[in-house]
Amino acid sequence: MTWLIGSLVFWVAAWLLNVWLANGPWRGRRAVRIAVPVIFGISLLVLWEGVVRGLQVSPVVLPAPSAIWARIVQSFPILWQDFVQTAVKGAVSGYVIGCMAAFLVAILVDRKPFLKRGLLPIGSFVAALPIVGIAPIMVNWFGFGWESKAAVVVVMVFFPVLVNTVQGLDEASAMQRDLMRTYGAGYWQELARLRLPAAMPFVFNGLKVATTLALIGAIVAEYFGSPTYGMGFRISTEVGRLAIDMVWAEIAMAALAGSAFYGLVVLFEKWVTFWHPSQRNRAGD
Amino acid sequence: MTNDAGLLKGRIMPVLTVVAAILALWYAAAAWMNAPWTLAQAERAGKTLTLSEIVKDTMRQSRPRLPAPHQIAAEIWKTTVQKKITSKRSLIFHGWITLQATLAGFALGAAAGIVMAILITYSRTMELGLMPWAIISQTIPIVALAPMIIVVLATLGVEGRLVPKAIISAYLCYFPVLVGMVKGLRSPHREQLDLMKTYNASGIQTFFKLRLPASVPYLFTSLKIGIAAALVGAIVGELPTGAVRGLGARILIGDQFGQPIQIWAALSAAAILAGALIAIVGLLQRLTLKRMGMAQ
Amino acid sequence: MKAKEEKLRQDASECPRETVILARNLDLVFQTADGPVQALKDVSLDIARGDFVSFIGPSGCGKTTFLRVIAGLEEPTGGEITVNDLTPDEARRLRAYGYVFQAAGLYPWRTIAGNVKLPLEIIGFTRAEQDERVKKVLELVDLSGFERKFPWQLSGGMQQRASIARALAFDADILLMDEPFGALDEIVRDHLNEQLLKLWERTGKTICFVTHSIPEAVYLSTRIVVMSPRPGRIHEVIESPLPRERPLEIRDTPEFLEVAHQVREGLKAGHGYDE
C-alpha cells in the first residue's frame, strides 16, 4: 500500500512542479520545454511501478518498469539481434528505397500536368488504405528474409512521400515562377533553385509519416513468416509463452527505435528547412 | 455546362487514364509473374504452348502469384452478392465485423483526441507535458502492442476481439484528430480573441462562440485522416492475433490456406470500405460547413 | 563603367531619344470561366531609353498586365510590341528585364547575398563576378553589412530594397516595377522613393513603374500614363515638366500640385473613380 500511495503522491507532486515550471518565471526557457515532458514521463513510470507493486498486479498482465528494465539488460544480445534484423535491415532499407523511388517518380510526374492530376487523387487515396495487408503477399513473393519486410515498407512509404512531394512541388508561388522566367531560367534551373527548396517542408511531412509506417510494416510482415529472430517474430512467440516482460522489452526497443528514427528525420528537417516559419517560431520562442 | 465539361476534362479524365494504365500494368505483371507456373505445368505434361495459350492460362490459375483484376472482381462478386450476409464466407459479414471495430475505435479515438486538444489549448502544463509524448506515442509501432493487448484483456476477463481491436484503432486515430483540433482551436486571430475580450466574454463563451466553430473545418479534415487510420488499426488488430472473423482475418486465412485471390479480394474490400468511410465523413463535412456558412 | 553611365545619361537627356519599348495597338483578351475578359485594348505607347514611366489607374485597368506583356510573361492577342527591336520573349531570354514585385519574394532559404546572387547563378556569371556584383548592388541600395542575414530577419522596407538589388544585379536594361512599395508604410515609402530616384540618376536605366498613388507617380516619373478599366486602355499620357533633380520638398511646389491635379482629372475622366 505504501508503494501505491507513495507513487501517487510522487505523481501529484511532479504534476504540481510541472504546473509551476510551465507557468512560472522560467516558462519561456528551453530547459523548461525539455524538463516538463521528462518529469511527466518519469512520474508516469513511477506511478506504473507503484500501482503494479502496490496492487500486486500479476506479471502476466502488466510487469513493472523495473522488471522490464531487468529483462532488457539480461536479454540485450537477443534484443539487439532483433533490432538489427527488423529495424535496420527491414525498415530502414525499405524506407530508403521507397522514399527515393517516390521522390524520383514525383519529379517525373511533375513534368506532365495531366499525369499529375490523375495520380494525385489516386495517390492520396492509396496512402489512406491499410496497405499493411499486403504483408502476406510480399512474404510469399520475396521469402522469409528481410527482403520481404523491406518490400512491404517500400509500398507503405511510397504513397505518402509521393503525394507530399508532388504537392510540395506546386508550392512555389506564381510570382516566384514569373521571376524565374524574367531571368530566362530553364526547367531544371527552376526546379533546383526554386521548386525543390520550396517543396522541402512538404517532403519532410511525408518522410515523417513514413518513418512510423516503416516500422509498422516491418514488424507486421514478420508475423507472416520470418527467420527465428526479429522484433515481430519475438513478440508473437513470447506472447504465446506468456513471457510478457520480454514482449514489453521488445516494445521498449521498438519505441526507442521508432522515436530515434523519427528524431533523426526531424533533425535533418530542421537543418534543411531552417527558413520555414514553423521552424523559425520554434527556434525563436 | 462548360463547368461539367471542364470537370470531366480537368479532373475525371486524368484519373480514369491513370486507373486504366494501372490495370494494364497489372495484367502485364500478372501474365509475367504467373507464366513460370504455366510453363512448368506444360513441361510436366510434355506440351508446348503458344504465347496466347500461355497468357490465357496466366489469367485463370486458381493459385496465381498475382491474380488478375477480373479474378479479384469475380471473387468479390461471389463472396458478396452470391452469399448470404450471415455466411462465414461473405465478405459483407467480415467487413461488418471490421467496421464495428473501426467505428468503435474511431469514436473512442476522436473523443480522446478532441478532449486532449482542449486540454492542451487551455493548459500550458498539458501542452508542454503531453504534446511531446503524443508525438512519441505515434513513433511506437502500435502493432507491437497488438498481440499483447489481446492477451492482457483476455486475462482480465474481457471477452471477444472487439475491444482490443477498437483500442488499437483508437490509438492510431486519436493523433491526427488531436493535431488537427489543436490547430483549429488556435486558428482564431489575435484580433478575434481581443474582440471577445472587449465584450468581457467568459472563457466558456469564447470557447463555444469562437474557438469551437473556428475549429470545425480543421476537425473534419483530421477526422477524414482519423477514420482511415481507424480502419488500418482494426485490420492491424486482426492480422497478428489469429482472428477468424473480419477482413484482416480473411487475409490471414487466405495466407494460411494459400488462397491469394481471397487475400486480394479482402484487401480490395478494405480499400472500398476505406473509400466509403472517407466519403461519408467528407459528405458530413460539406453539409456541416454549408450549414455553418463556411463552405468554400 | 563611368563612361558608359555618362553616355546613357546623355542619351537620356538629348533629343531625339532612342525608343526602347514600342507598343502598337496591343490587345489582350483572357479566356476565363465567365467568358472572355478584355484586359488590354488598343494600347499604343513609346518608351524612350532613360525614361521613368509610371502607370496609374484603378484596379482592372490593365497596368500590371501591360507590364507583364512588356516582360514577355503574357502574350498579347493582337497588336505589336518590341523591346530593343526584339520580341519581349527574345528580350527576356537576353535578360533585358529586372522585375520587382509588390511582395519582395525573396527566397527564405537564401541569405540576402544569396538572393541577389540567384539571377547571376542562373545566367552563369563566374563566382568572382557574382561576389563583386552583389557587393556593388547591395551598396547601391544601402544594404551593405546585411549580406549574411536571412530575409525574414529584415524589415519589409529592407526586404524590398534587397529585391531591387536583385533586379539590378545583372544589369538589365529595363527595370519593371509592379507596385514595389505598395505594401510599405508612408514613411518608408518616401525614403525608398527618394533612393529610387537617386538610383535612376546614377544608372540611367529605363524604369516602368506601376502604382496606385498619385503623389508617388508624379514625384518619380518623367511621364505618367493614366489608364482606365473595362477594357483596360490608356486614357492619357502626361509629360512631367518637373526637373530631373527632385528633392522630397518638390512635392509642395505649385508645379508638382498642378501635375497631380492633371493626373487626378485624367483618372476622373477615365472613370477611374467608378465603383
Side-chain angles (χ1 to χ4, degrees), chain A residues 175-176 178-185 189 193-194 197-198 274-275 280, chain C residues 68 72-73 92 95 101 105 107-110 119 121-122 150 152 166 170:
Chain A
M175 188 197 87
Q176 288 179 325
D178 281 346
L179 196 63
M180 280 306 209
R181 283 177 67 196
T182 67
Y183 300 152
Q189 282 180 320
R193 284 173 211 278
L194 170 60
F274 65 94
W275 49 271
R280 265 147 49 195
Chain C
R68 291 174 60 85
L73 295 175
R92 177 172 69 83
R95 278 93 182 196
F101 296 89
Y107 293 0
W109 54 86
R110 283 175 173 248
E121 290 172 8
I122 289 172
F150 284 95
W152 29 275
R166 180 176 60 183
F170 53 100

Side-chain angles (χ1 to χ4, degrees), chain C residues 74-127:
Chain C
E74 234 44 274
E75 190 76 24
T77 46
E80 249 185 280
I81 177 161
T82 60
V83 176
N84 293 331
D85 297 323
L86 302 167
T87 67
D89 218 42
E90 286 165 340
R92 177 172 69 83
R93 280 172 216 288
L94 291 172
R95 278 93 182 196
Y97 309 110
Y99 211 118
V100 181
F101 296 89
Q102 174 169 5
L106 300 168
Y107 293 0
W109 54 86
R110 283 175 173 248
T111 59
I112 294 301
N115 268 288
V116 175
K117 221 178 262 183
L118 174 75
L120 304 176
E121 290 172 8
I122 289 172
I123 293 167
F125 285 88
T126 62
R127 272 285 161 81

Side-chain angles (χ1 to χ4, degrees), chain A residues 108 167 192:
Chain A
L108 291 179
Q167 279 175 338

Side-chain angles (χ1 to χ4, degrees), chain A:
Chain A
M1 221 48 199
T2 39
W3 269 104
L4 189 62
I5 294 168
S7 64
L8 264 175
V9 168
F10 181 86
W11 188 80
V12 171
W15 182 257
L16 290 176
L17 175 65
N18 266 347
V19 171
W20 179 74
L21 277 177
N23 302 295
W26 301 312
R27 48 178 298 166
R29 295 277 180 85
R30 204 183 147 77
V32 168
R33 301 197 141 252
I34 297 170
V36 170
V38 168
I39 292 171
F40 184 71
I42 291 174
S43 73
L44 275 187
L45 280 181
V46 170
L47 187 67
W48 177 352
E49 183 84 33
V51 167
V52 169
R53 292 201 183 204
L55 297 179
Q56 315 223 311
V57 178
S58 150
V60 176
V61 175
L62 189 66
S66 56
I68 298 169
W69 175 247
R71 169 56 63 191
I72 291 177
V73 173
Q74 201 185 337
S75 308
F76 190 75
I78 298 178
L79 291 169
W80 179 255
Q81 188 193 22
D82 293 347
F83 166 78
V84 170
Q85 168 72 10
T86 307
V88 179
K89 287 190 190 161
V92 172
S93 64
Y95 179 84
V96 171
I97 297 170
C99 292
M100 289 208 303
F103 192 73
L104 291 178
V105 170
I107 286 176
L108 291 179
V109 164
D110 182 69
R111 287 210 82 166
K112 299 260 176 275
F114 183 82
L115 204 58
K116 188 162 68 177
R117 267 175 295 155
L119 213 59
L120 202 55
I122 294 175
S124 358
F125 176 61
V126 176
L129 296 180
I131 299 181
V132 260
I134 64 162
I137 297 162
M138 292 298 153
V139 172
N140 185 357
W141 286 358
F142 296 102
F144 281 8
W146 62 269
E147 295 85 351
S148 58
K149 284 76 200 169
V152 176
V153 175
V154 167
V155 182
M156 282 178 80
V157 302
F158 182 83
F159 290 97
V161 177
L162 175 75
V163 168
N164 276 287
T165 308
V166 169
Q167 279 175 338
L169 285 172
D170 271 343
E171 195 41 23
S173 68
M175 188 197 87
Q176 288 179 325
R177 283 181 210 200
D178 281 346
L179 196 63
M180 280 306 209
R181 283 177 67 196
T182 67
Y183 300 152
Y187 174 83
W188 295 107
Q189 282 180 320
E190 186 179 325
L191 187 72
R193 284 173 211 278
L194 170 60
R195 298 177 55 222
L196 272 183
M200 279 305 147
F202 284 76
V203 174
F204 273 100
N205 278 344
L207 291 181
K208 283 192 286 186
V209 172
T211 51
T212 326
L213 293 174
L215 264 183
I216 292 185
I219 291 177
V220 169
E222 285 184 1
Y223 294 143
F224 291 96
S226 67
T228 54
Y229 48 92
M231 297 169 121
F233 167 82
R234 190 81 53 209
I235 290 169
S236 52
T237 47
E238 298 294 326
V239 160
R241 293 170 40 199
L242 288 183
I244 302 296
D245 57 343
M246 187 62 186
V247 177
W248 274 102
E250 276 304 338
I251 290 170
M253 284 296 278
L256 210 61
S259 305
F261 193 9
Y262 187 86
L264 269 179
V265 175
V266 167
L267 273 184
F268 194 46
E269 176 188 29
K270 270 199 175 151
W271 183 64
V272 174
T273 66
F274 65 94
W275 49 271
H276 194 257
S278 63
Q279 302 292 340
R280 265 147 49 195
N281 287 348
R282 228 175 288 163
D285 197 20

